[in-house]
Amino acid sequence: MTKADLVEAFADAADLTKVRAEDCLEKLAYIMLDELKDDGEVRLPKLGKLQVVQRAARCGRNPRTGEAVKIAPRRAVKFCAGKYLKDCMS
């Protein structure tokens, strides 16, 4: 589903104009980003949750040369599917 498809579906479902629906989705994205930047989590009803996790430092390999490379620790966003989504997929 592309952004345009999502905007159109959201506009139809919420009885909004496409411009207003796109504005709402953009604001939702910024709210979620702000929460995740602060190491929070975002619960998405019926879907699951997005949460920030700390990835440990590790050794990797350069695929071109095979040389060992140190990968620094970093923060990443992890999605955990909720029960309803898991049940729908099976």
Side-chain angles (χ1 to χ4, degrees):
M1 177 178 264
T2 64
K3 180 181 176 182
D5 294 337
L6 183 60
V7 167
E8 186 173 341
F10 187 68
D12 290 342
D15 195 29
L16 298 170
T17 65
K18 288 183 183 179
V19 172
R20 183 75 178 126
E22 183 174 8
D23 185 49
C24 289
L25 287 172
E26 290 287 330
K27 287 182 176 156
L28 176 63
Y30 283 117
I31 291 168
M32 292 170 64
L33 286 170
D34 286 342
E35 184 64 25
L36 291 171
K37 282 181 190 174
D38 296 333
D39 289 335
E41 69 178 33
V42 177
R43 293 186 182 269
L44 303 169
K46 306 267 185 190
L47 293 176
K49 67 180 176 179
L50 294 168
Q51 62 187 14
V52 177
V53 294
Q54 184 67 32
R55 301 274 185 212
R58 60 189 175 92
C59 274
R61 294 228 175 258
N62 180 333
R64 184 172 289 172
T65 64
E67 177 183 349
V69 177
K70 290 183 181 178
I71 300 173
R74 63 184 179 93
R75 293 174 18 186
V77 177
K78 176 182 171 184
F79 176 76
C80 296
K83 183 180 181 330
Y84 186 81
L85 178 60
K86 289 178 186 178
D87 290 345
C88 288
M89 299 306 293
S90 57

